[in-house]
Amino acid sequence: MTVIDADAHVNEDPLAWTELEAAHPGWLSAGRSGGRWVAQIDGKLFPVQDGPGCGVPIDSATSPACAAGAADLDRRLADMDQEGIDVQVLFGGLMIGLSTYRDPGFAHDVARAYNDWLIDKVCGRAPERLKAVAVVPLQDVPRAIDELRRARGKGAVAVTIPPVLGEANLDDPALLPFFEAAAGEDVAVTIHSAPGMNVPLPAAGRFANYAQVHCLSFPVDQMVALTALAMGGVLDRLPRLRVGFMESGIGWVPYFLHRMHEHKEKRPELLAAMTGDPRDHLERGQLFFSFEAEEPLLEVCVEQLGADAWVYASDYPHWDSDFPGTVEACRAMAAPLGPEVTAKVLGGNAAQLYGLADEAAAAVAADASHGGHGGPAT
């Protein structure tokens, strides 16, 4: 069994992006927010430390158990060995705010610098085990498509976008060419939000207590994104498009897919672009949702919607990651569902989402030829 961590993170190192500093002197500085020093880019603070929609307190953003691995790739790989993770798919944190930059050309340059660093310097250390999720300047669709294709050509397994783009939802017609390009390039689109990154928060922006913001932000943000893509007809129009909804848990998914189904059934005249049913999107392999070690409703989700949509994630090295022990906890949760389902949720489904099925099959074959699993592949 190949274990794929579908949503882990890197702490960006913007000082290493020397070409960006040469092109945009002073692009990165520091500013005070809530009494703490944070990054300042494009005149904005990341992450905002106080007020409505505030972000994680910067001094407690990283789990102490993950701190060494967050700062050192060799230690990260050792942590993966300890955890039993064969492949880790890497997202950024600071870059979640890229779509809020006012100058699309600057945003494109930042995306290129970050993607090159992530693909070449980070994942390049262990390319069989570390996989990159690229960022794109979605505020300029032609530039976003250009960067999607460039990053895909360099080895990125997905691109990530926010659940909304300013006042626009993801079914805005102006964004359709981007999704067409993703489907055409056979690259997954992942939806990932974060409080405090100047991205609009449809519900959590009403709160200024970080615990309330964090609790509410991720699931509601993903409901908004899924509503746009499913009920707005994007998934039906592009049946090859694969979308991952990250870091919001999965307990809400059966309820919400049923709710969308009910509205399609009873108010079809309002949903002409939605030609199918949310279960059609699942059955076509278009929808994937990440769950973490404390997820209590995996069995319910499999019972209600089948086994193919759920992907294990550690959220390493963030404060709410349950590392160490996430793989074993998830394996124990999945055990009552049988070994086939366990293999899917711990890696097989993520391989489908990220286009890694051939690599995963080769790893299993190589493992079998050596007489069984001997630890994570290197």
Side-chain angles (χ1 to χ4, degrees), residues 152 172 278:
R152 178 62 162 166
D172 190 298

Side-chain angles (χ1 to χ4, degrees), residues 196-346:
M197 290 298 173
N198 297 284
V199 174
L201 302 176
R206 299 177 64 86
F207 295 89
N209 178 307
Y210 173 67
Q212 293 173 302
V213 171
H214 185 270
C215 180
L216 192 59
S217 172
F218 291 90
V220 175
D221 294 351
Q222 298 292 22
M223 289 179 186
V224 170
L226 181 55
T227 298
L229 294 173
M231 300 178 78
V234 178
L235 294 172
D236 288 318
R237 184 163 180 164
L238 300 170
R240 294 182 57 200
L241 180 66
R242 301 190 306 279
V243 184
F245 298 83
M246 318 311 292
E247 208 167 316
S248 60
I250 60 175
W252 61 275
V253 179
Y255 154 76
F256 201 68
L257 261 63
H258 173 73
R259 188 167 177 81
M260 289 193 296
H261 162 81
E262 182 180 36
H263 283 77
K264 174 61 178 176
E265 180 181 55
K266 295 179 179 178
R267 298 308 305 256
E269 77 280 5
L270 300 178
L271 298 170
M274 186 184 187
T275 58
D277 186 88
R279 286 182 179 267
D280 298 333
H281 307 147
L282 281 178
E283 291 171 3
R284 287 198 298 256
Q286 291 187 273
L287 300 178
F288 298 84
F289 304 88
S290 71
F291 71 95
E292 298 175 16
E294 71 277 14
E295 175 61 60
L297 297 176
L298 177 62
E299 287 189 61
V300 173
C301 290
V302 172
E303 176 187 343
Q304 292 293 316
L305 297 173
D308 297 334
W310 323 111
V311 296
Y312 149 74
S314 72
D315 199 29
Y316 181 105
H318 286 171
W319 65 269
D320 50 343
S321 172
D322 288 309
F323 174 89
T326 64
V327 172
E328 285 310 307
C330 291
R331 196 189 305 275
M333 280 195 301
L337 300 168
E340 181 179 352
V341 172
T342 299
K344 284 186 174 185
V345 301
L346 282 179

Side-chain angles (χ1 to χ4, degrees), residues 58-107:
I58 197 68
D59 51 3
S60 60
T62 299
S63 165
C66 308
D72 181 82
L73 283 175
D74 290 332
R75 181 58 184 270
R76 176 186 287 267
L77 291 165
D79 283 351
M80 290 168 61
D81 289 340
Q82 172 189 338
E83 195 75 346
I85 295 171
D86 295 290
V87 175
Q88 204 168 60
V89 180
L90 301 180
F91 292 73
L94 182 63
M95 289 298 100
I96 290 173
L98 182 81
S99 67
T100 71
Y101 300 172
R102 291 167 293 185
D103 180 350
F106 169 63

